[in-house]
Amino acid sequence: DYFFFLMIRRPPRSTQSRSSAASDVYKRQEQQQEPKAQVAQENFDETLEEQQTVATLTTKEIKKLVRPEFEANPHKYYPVEIFKKFGFSRNQCPKCQHFYWRHSEKADTCGDSNCVGTYKFIGRGTGIGQKGTKISYADAWKGFEKSLTSARVPCTSIERYPVVARWRNDVDYVAAGIFCFQPYCVTGELDPPANPLICPQFCVRFNDLDNIGLTGRHYSGFVMLGIQVFNRPDNYVFFKEECVEFNYRWLTEELQIDPDEITFIEDVWAGGGNLGPSIEYFVGGLELGNMVFMQYKTFHDGSLEELAIKVIDVGIGLERIPWLINGSPTSYTDVFKNSSEYLLQKLDLQINNDIWAKMGPYSCRLNIDEVDNIDETWKQIADLIGIQVDEVKKAITPIKDLYIILDHTRTVFMIIYDGSLPSNVGGGGNVRNILRRVFAILHKNGWFEKLKLEGLLEIFEYHKKDLEGLYGEFKPYKSFDQIIQMEYERWILTDSAQKSKLDKLLKKSKTLTIDDWIVAMTSWGIPADAIAQISGQPVPGNLYYEIATRQERITKAAEVVLYSTTHLKETENLYYQNHRQIIFDAEIVEVFANLKQNNARNIVILDRSAYYPTSGGQAHDIGTIEIEGEVYNVSSCEKVGKCVLHILDRPLPNPDNSFYVGKKVVGQIDEGRRRQLRCHHTATHIVFAACRKVLGPHVWQNGAKKTTDQAHLDITHFTSLSKQEEKEIENEANKIILSAKQIHKSFMDKAQAEKDYGFRLYQGGIVPGNELRVVNIVDTDVEACCGTHCDNTCLLYTSPSPRDRQKSRMPSSA
């Protein structure tokens, strides 16, 4: 018999419906008892523990608190001298009251479309576009790259990060370029990949869904051209003055935009836990970019703390550049060139270019978040262009729906391609919402019959063509079509159980509140369009904005640290040098009172230790430590900061801690337990590699637990495993074991490891610091992992005893 076999542990059907159980993470809590004298509780999960949350001020509320101070002291917060050098003067907008800088007195407002009232560039173009040069989506990036890499202080161009933020535990997806470098590059704990740098980062946001397809500015997924600079106390690169200079030269030299058309608005930026002054710049009523100068760290109550490292974060919407230069009626035609041509042809639709050209300049007024009565706004626009409002809506609405489909499917493609799945919870809930919105629009307009599922899947292929100029060729994704098909089938079938909940709610109250809408969408998984159809009530104009705002108000509480070890040197980890070392000598460097055990003085820190502390989903070592001729059992080990805490089975007798500091000790690890944990941890890597090979690249680790009795692995997958898939995974895992693959363990520079292996390194979550411990099962699996592992996969086959053979059953759940 093989040493290793697979058991699939499934969620009980009584607690979760089939539709959600297949795609959402199932959290298991196992109650196991270990011998009292030996082992502390081992019921832990690597990533599945539910974190506490705290209420927090939104970014808008934080910005409102600091704005008066910034406005009153422009010389302190804003780069006023560089504006003067280029011939700009400071003024206050008569409409919005914000302070702005202008090159000509003709700019009598700040330049924001809300104050200008129109997009002035539509129909005529701007800069080189006015002179007859049209640019593509990819051309816009290449021109920006050329300008910034040749600046007086040149920037390095880097490849985009995945939109799924695996390196962070506080967000699901990248919503701005700086997300890729928070928090560790901002705090100085990690070096950025380059400094200064630029990057065409794909980002996603779900708070402006109601405006997509109309305004030209709004997307759920977009490319943010980023400039990031990290100024450390000992390494100044450049800051506000130079940043304005480089952006201004890109606008006026590369794009050849007339300075009289440019305005710079003083603003405040907050996000990702940081805050600082910012400068937004506008051309023809369109905001092109925002230069953020991070100077402060923000806390949930709005308080600020000065940052030691001053950061520049420039965000420029790439979608807006070809739109501005070409003067197109809307940005969506430039961005979705191939995919829109395909879908228009497939659905037999025609764009009424005359109405779109006339309406385009006024589309800036259709921001649902900023108008009190959207119907009245439509009427005003119709009057301005001299066409009946019904005729305008008739021409605009189907094309708006088409642009929504293109926007949402591109966002879904990028998120799934980068390693996330639609679900009912967290960021995956947003992905499912927009995908189901696509399904609903297709059915509402009778388009699904023309397109079929095959035609819908073809849209994703055209998105690849539209993005190739930025990101190169996309590799084949084995399970992508199956994921979309499964989501469509779920959307068709969902609804019986969930609709019954909505029917009961409607019997209690005929009118749904915004809270009812949000519960039905986020908790019951019913898309907004379906709720509207069942209830007979229109979708609230601020629904998606309200969902995003409420999510923003909840943040994960900071981890409570009971012991301070910052004054101590790092414990030398002997288990990395030789995982077979069982006996070792060391010195005591500190003794702590155990705050969890009535201040019993039974926590010992050594200068070096072979004990593995609980981490990486792996249980801690146990054993003994001999101190002053007395042998103590080590019942648990924890890592706090860079130190390993050894918890003894009883307090040390001498009340004077200094008595023990410097004392020689001898530690001895429980060899059988270490061996079993080592095998189980190695086995989880093997099962994971087998799952990815059998099921597809969408599989990611979503939690792991390795104890002496058993180990389990939680993976992301979009449906329940079939018996055939279970058998294939089991066979593949055994094949890896019997192929006797070498397992290399080494420390690598983080930037180099990411370059060599990509972000799939981070199956176990975030890893701070500039160095990673990389575990490489040759030609099989590579992960950043701190646990103990065998030296060869065949060592899982040659178990030392029937007892260990019985323990090495490896449950995995999907």
Side-chain angles (χ1 to χ4, degrees):
D1 293 336
Y2 285 167
F3 170 81
F4 175 92
F5 66 92
L6 183 72
M7 297 196 310
I8 305 298
R9 179 164 299 185
R10 303 181 185 280
R13 291 184 181 272
S14 60
T15 61
Q16 205 172 12
S17 68
R18 180 180 176 85
S19 62
S20 61
S23 60
D24 300 332
V25 178
Y26 172 60
K27 297 182 179 181
R28 296 173 312 283
Q29 295 181 339
E30 300 174 356
Q31 302 298 324
Q32 300 177 10
Q33 292 185 351
E34 298 281 354
K36 278 187 178 180
Q38 286 189 323
V39 188
Q41 184 182 10
E42 288 190 347
N43 185 20
F44 62 92
D45 280 333
E46 179 178 357
T47 60
L48 296 185
E49 281 190 30
E50 188 173 333
Q51 277 191 277
Q52 293 183 340
T53 59
V54 294
T56 182
L57 294 177
T58 66
T59 54
K60 286 186 177 181
E61 291 167 339
I62 292 174
K63 288 163 65 175
K64 186 177 179 180
L65 283 175
V66 303
R67 188 182 297 279
E69 162 68 13
F70 282 34
E71 289 182 343
N73 298 279
H75 284 83
K76 180 178 179 181
Y77 296 104
Y78 298 102
V80 299
E81 296 305 320
I82 194 70
F83 289 133
K84 293 178 181 178
K85 176 182 176 181
F86 288 129
F88 284 74
S89 60
R90 189 174 190 249
N91 301 270
Q92 187 169 21
C93 180
K95 294 192 175 182
C96 68
Q97 307 306 311
H98 286 172
F99 289 92
Y100 72 103
W101 294 78
R102 66 186 181 185
H103 194 265
S104 168
E105 292 184 358
K106 295 178 182 178
D108 54 359
T109 68
C110 66
D112 191 323
S113 59
N114 290 328
C115 300
V116 176
T118 182
Y119 294 139
K120 295 181 177 182
F121 58 89
I122 290 180
R124 67 174 178 85
T126 307
I128 58 175
Q130 272 186 298
K131 301 171 185 177
T133 301
K134 303 294 184 182
I135 65 172
S136 69
Y137 198 39
D139 291 336
W141 156 245
K142 291 173 183 175
F144 177 81
E145 184 180 39
K146 173 187 171 185
S147 179
L148 271 295
T149 54
S150 61
R152 183 164 53 84
V153 181
C155 298
T156 300
S157 178
I158 68 168
E159 294 183 356
R160 75 173 182 95
Y161 279 58
V163 72
V164 183
R166 295 284 174 181
W167 59 92
R168 294 183 60 164
N169 63 0
D170 57 336
V171 296
D172 294 306
Y173 305 128
V174 173
I178 195 63
F179 275 43
C180 303
F181 312 106
Q182 290 172 320
Y184 299 116
C185 292
V186 174
T187 60
E189 297 174 73
L190 178 65
D191 294 329
N195 191 18
L197 64 85
I198 59 172
C199 177
Q201 178 60 41
F202 196 87
C203 304
V204 296
R205 297 177 186 174
F206 300 98
N207 57 336
D208 287 317
L209 301 186
D210 308 295
N211 294 313
I212 294 170
L214 283 177
T215 66
R217 302 197 313 268
H218 294 97
Y219 291 79
S220 63
F222 58 95
V223 177
M224 180 177 285
L225 301 186
I227 306 173
Q228 277 80 36
V229 186
F230 304 88
N231 293 293
R232 302 191 180 196
D234 59 347
N235 182 27
Y236 177 87
V237 182
F238 65 78
F239 206 39
K240 299 175 185 177
E241 303 284 331
E242 299 92 335
C243 184
V244 171
E245 174 193 339
F246 300 157
N247 279 265
Y248 181 72
R249 293 197 184 282
W250 167 61
L251 294 173
T252 57
E253 296 175 6
E254 177 66 29
L255 299 178
Q256 298 180 26
I257 298 173
D258 186 344
D260 287 355
E261 295 189 59
I262 304 170
T263 55
F264 295 93
I265 301 178
E266 296 175 5
D267 200 3
V268 180
W269 181 91
N274 300 121
L275 176 141
S278 67
I279 302 287
E280 298 172 336
Y281 51 89
F282 290 76
V283 177
L286 180 66
E287 180 187 355
L288 287 188
N290 190 9
M291 297 176 280
V292 174
F293 308 105
M294 292 187 192
Q295 293 181 240
Y296 306 100
K297 179 179 179 180
T298 62
F299 296 89
H300 68 277
D301 60 355
S303 56
L304 305 178
E305 179 180 283
E306 185 88 13
L307 290 171
I309 298 175
K310 303 298 189 294
V311 177
I312 295 177
D313 174 33
V314 178
I316 300 163
L318 177 60
E319 287 74 11
R320 302 181 184 195
I321 308 307
W323 184 28
L324 173 75
I325 298 301
N326 299 338
S328 308
T330 183
S331 69
Y332 306 113
T333 55
D334 294 300
V335 172
F336 301 124
K337 185 179 185 303
N338 290 292
S339 53
S340 63
E341 289 175 358
Y342 162 77
L343 197 54
L344 284 166
Q345 182 271 328
K346 199 74 175 175
L347 300 179
D348 195 23
L349 291 176
Q350 296 289 331
I351 297 178
N352 188 323
N353 292 313
D354 179 58
I355 290 181
W356 270 93
K358 291 178 179 178
M359 190 277 292
Y362 301 102
S363 61
C364 59
R365 302 186 181 190
L366 293 171
N367 189 334
I368 289 176
D369 302 332
E370 297 173 355
V371 298
D372 296 325
N373 188 325
I374 191 66
D375 291 329
E376 180 61 29
T377 302
W378 273 110
K379 187 176 183 306
Q380 292 172 2
I381 293 174
D383 291 343
L384 286 168
I385 64 177
I387 303 175
Q388 291 294 318
V389 66
D390 290 341
E391 187 179 349
V392 175
K393 285 187 174 182
K394 183 179 179 181
I396 297 299
T397 300
I399 305 304
K400 171 199 169 186
D401 283 350
L402 179 138
Y403 291 147
I404 291 173
I405 291 170
L406 294 176
D407 167 84
H408 288 8
T409 50
R410 185 175 75 157
T411 299
V412 168
F413 165 71
M414 291 298 289
I415 289 176
I416 293 178
Y417 186 86
D418 282 353
S420 184
L421 289 174
S423 72
N424 281 347
V425 295
N430 289 321
V431 182
R432 177 165 285 170
N433 280 340
I434 63 171
L435 186 53
R436 290 187 170 190
R437 193 181 187 202
V438 169
F439 299 150
I441 290 173
L442 289 172
H443 278 262
K444 177 192 72 174
N445 292 319
W447 293 344
F448 194 81
E449 289 73 15
K450 296 181 179 180
L451 200 60
K452 307 296 184 186
L453 186 62
E454 295 76 14
L456 173 61
L457 293 173
E458 192 66 21
I459 295 174
F460 297 105
E461 297 303 313
Y462 282 95
H463 284 316
K464 293 179 185 179
K465 293 182 181 179
D466 285 326
L467 291 168
E468 278 180 357
L470 295 175
Y471 301 137
E473 185 179 358
F474 288 84
K475 296 178 181 179
Y477 198 101
K478 174 181 177 181
S479 49
F480 186 88
D481 289 359
Q482 192 178 357
I483 293 168
I484 302 300
Q485 180 178 354
M486 182 64 67
E487 283 300 307
Y488 179 73
E489 291 173 358
R490 284 189 180 133
W491 177 72
I492 292 294
L493 299 173
T494 290
D495 312 304
S496 54
Q498 310 303 355
K499 284 178 180 176
S500 65
K501 296 180 181 179
L502 187 58
D503 289 335
K504 290 179 182 178
L505 184 61
L506 288 167
K507 287 179 181 178
K508 294 180 181 179
S509 176
K510 293 184 178 180
T511 302
L512 297 177
T513 66
I514 190 70
D515 291 333
D516 296 332
W517 281 87
I518 292 173
V519 168
M521 285 184 64
T522 60
S523 298
W524 301 343
I526 309 177
D529 303 81
I531 299 171
Q533 184 178 4
I534 296 168
S535 66
Q537 299 171 30
V539 177
N542 64 337
L543 176 61
Y544 296 103
Y545 175 80
E546 184 64 27
I547 291 173
T549 300
R550 294 188 184 193
Q551 290 175 343
E552 185 183 4
R553 286 184 178 276
I554 301 299
T555 186
K556 294 176 181 177
E559 182 183 358
V560 177
V561 179
L562 298 178
Y563 308 101
S564 174
T565 61
T566 56
H567 62 293
L568 301 174
K569 290 184 178 180
E570 180 177 3
T571 304
E572 182 184 351
N573 297 319
L574 301 178
Y575 51 83
Y576 285 154
Q577 299 174 23
N578 178 10
H579 64 79
R580 299 182 186 281
Q581 182 173 356
I582 300 304
I583 300 174
F584 66 96
D585 299 321
E587 287 185 7
I588 296 176
V589 297
E590 186 62 280
V591 177
F592 284 166
N594 194 325
L595 300 179
K596 296 180 181 180
Q597 297 181 15
N598 297 319
N599 292 318
R601 294 170 54 262
N602 66 337
I603 298 178
V604 174
I605 300 177
L606 308 177
D607 63 336
R608 60 203 298 265
S609 178
Y611 277 93
Y612 182 83
T614 297
S615 61
Q618 178 178 324
H620 54 79
D621 286 328
I622 62 172
T624 61
I625 291 180
E626 183 178 344
I627 305 172
E628 290 287 286
E630 188 81 14
V631 176
Y632 296 83
N633 288 324
V634 177
S635 59
S636 181
C637 292
E638 302 174 11
K639 192 166 187 181
V640 177
K642 296 182 178 181
C643 297
V644 176
L645 277 58
H646 306 77
I647 292 86
L648 308 181
D649 62 342
R650 60 190 186 277
L652 297 174
N654 194 318
D656 182 6
N657 287 353
S658 62
F659 173 80
Y660 294 100
V661 174
K663 295 291 185 183
K664 302 286 186 180
V665 302
V666 176
Q668 182 168 346
I669 311 297
D670 183 319
E671 184 175 7
R673 178 183 172 88
R674 164 69 69 82
R675 181 176 58 245
Q676 194 64 41
L677 291 170
R678 183 171 62 228
C679 287
H680 275 167
H681 202 145
T682 306
T684 59
H685 286 242
I686 291 172
V687 171
F688 176 72
C691 287
R692 282 183 61 83
K693 184 169 183 179
V694 172
L695 302 175
H698 64 276
V699 172
W700 285 75
Q701 178 179 314
N702 209 79
K705 175 180 175 180
K706 306 100 181 178
T707 66
T708 52
D709 278 347
Q710 61 178 0
H712 78 237
L713 174 71
D714 290 322
I715 63 170
T716 58
H717 189 45
F718 52 86
T719 187
S720 298
L721 297 182
S722 67
K723 292 295 182 183
Q724 178 62 30
E725 288 170 330
E726 293 175 17
K727 191 64 178 177
E728 288 178 15
I729 293 169
E730 181 180 324
N731 290 342
E732 180 62 30
N734 284 318
K735 187 188 300 182
I736 294 170
I737 292 171
L738 295 177
S739 63
K741 293 179 179 290
Q742 287 293 116
I743 303 175
H744 301 302
K745 295 148 281 186
S746 62
F747 285 92
M748 292 185 65
D749 174 75
K750 191 171 190 176
Q752 187 62 46
E754 290 175 352
K755 182 178 180 181
D756 290 350
Y757 302 116
F759 288 90
R760 293 201 175 279
L761 281 167
Y762 302 121
Q763 297 297 332
I766 58 173
V767 183
N770 290 314
E771 194 174 55
L772 296 179
R773 183 170 183 264
V774 176
V775 177
N776 184 353
I777 303 178
V778 175
D779 298 327
T780 302
D781 178 70
V782 183
E783 298 181 29
C785 187
C786 60
T788 59
H789 302 80
C790 300
D791 295 324
N792 192 292
T793 60
C794 69
L795 295 175
L796 272 73
Y797 181 77
T798 55
S799 60
S801 70
R803 176 178 177 273
D804 285 338
R805 180 185 295 268
Q806 178 63 30
K807 281 187 173 183
S808 293
R809 300 177 178 179
M810 179 67 190
S812 172
S813 72

